[in-house]
Amino acid sequence: GYRPIGNTRVDDVVFDRNGKKTLVTGVYPQGKRPCYNFIFRDGKSLIADENHLWVIIDPHGRKERVLSTKQL
């Protein structure tokens, strides 16, 4: 279920970009930052700051690029 990112701790289990469970190995507090709420086509949402990294896949060439929220 939903958990505020500030409550994430080392050894918590989260989901990776492929939907597989993965272990949190480090937490690096960033202080308060402006955040953006993204709402996806399927109705799910995610809150991320401008430095969050996104893997973008070109639907034609299937090339992956990594962009920050700021770059998007």
Side-chain angles (χ1 to χ4, degrees):
Y2 176 80
R3 179 190 306 179
I5 194 140
N7 294 349
T8 304
R9 304 282 181 249
V10 172
D11 294 330
D12 282 352
V13 176
V14 296
F15 292 95
D16 68 13
R17 70 181 185 150
N18 297 312
K20 294 186 179 181
K21 291 180 181 178
T22 188
L23 192 65
V24 174
T25 59
V27 176
Y28 308 96
Q30 302 294 311
K32 291 191 176 205
R33 296 178 152 188
C35 291
Y36 304 88
N37 185 31
F38 291 87
I39 301 173
F40 299 95
R41 288 182 193 163
D42 65 1
K44 294 179 182 169
S45 65
L46 175 122
I47 298 172
D49 74 0
E50 67 181 18
N51 295 316
H52 183 84
L53 298 178
W54 301 85
V55 177
I56 308 300
I57 301 172
D58 172 0
H60 305 290
R62 301 295 300 164
K63 289 177 134 182
E64 287 189 2
R65 296 185 301 154
V66 178
L67 298 174
S68 69
T69 298
K70 188 174 185 177
Q71 291 172 303
L72 291 173

